[in-house]
Amino acid sequence: MFLPLRLLIKKKVMGDLFSGGHIIIIVLFMLLMFGGKKIPELMRGLGTGIREFKDAKDNVKREITDQMNSEPTDKNNNAPISTPTKQVSSDSSVKI
């Protein structure tokens, strides 16, 4: 009828998921699947992909901040100043 105290206490999921024994099993599995020569190549490719992703993220962030800083605003209502544009109508009755 009574549950032991250890069943009532919640365990940390991430602490149990990546314990020392689990990491050793994962490393052995990777060695069996890919071999010792292929693992450095896989890790190098993974590092290159992560680096390219971070560079792209930084470029997008930089472009956004540059656009926000370079956009002129009206001093009264902080709205962007729009430049007037010419509208050209296509009148089919004009003969050349």
Side-chain angles (χ1 to χ4, degrees):
M1 282 279 169
F2 294 106
L3 292 174
L5 184 59
R6 64 184 171 97
L7 293 178
L8 295 175
I9 299 173
K10 290 185 179 181
K11 292 183 178 181
K12 294 180 183 178
V13 175
M14 294 304 289
D16 292 339
L17 187 61
F18 293 113
S19 66
H22 290 121
I23 293 175
I24 291 172
I25 292 172
I26 291 170
V27 168
L28 289 175
F29 178 75
M30 287 179 61
L31 279 172
L32 288 175
M33 290 297 294
F34 300 112
K37 294 180 182 178
K38 196 71 172 173
I39 290 176
E41 295 174 22
L42 292 172
M43 294 298 121
R44 203 172 300 123
L46 181 65
T48 303
I50 291 172
R51 190 177 319 114
E52 288 177 2
F53 178 77
K54 285 183 180 180
D55 290 343
K57 180 184 72 166
D58 292 340
N59 287 338
V60 169
K61 192 182 292 186
R62 189 178 320 112
E63 287 179 16
I64 290 172
T65 55
D66 289 347
Q67 288 296 321
M68 289 175 61
N69 293 336
S70 68
E71 185 173 299
T73 57
D74 186 10
K75 292 180 182 177
N76 294 335
N77 60 3
N78 293 335
I81 298 174
S82 60
T83 57
T85 58
K86 294 181 180 179
Q87 292 184 351
V88 179
S89 63
S90 59
D91 190 11
S92 60
S93 63
V94 177
K95 295 181 182 178
I96 300 177

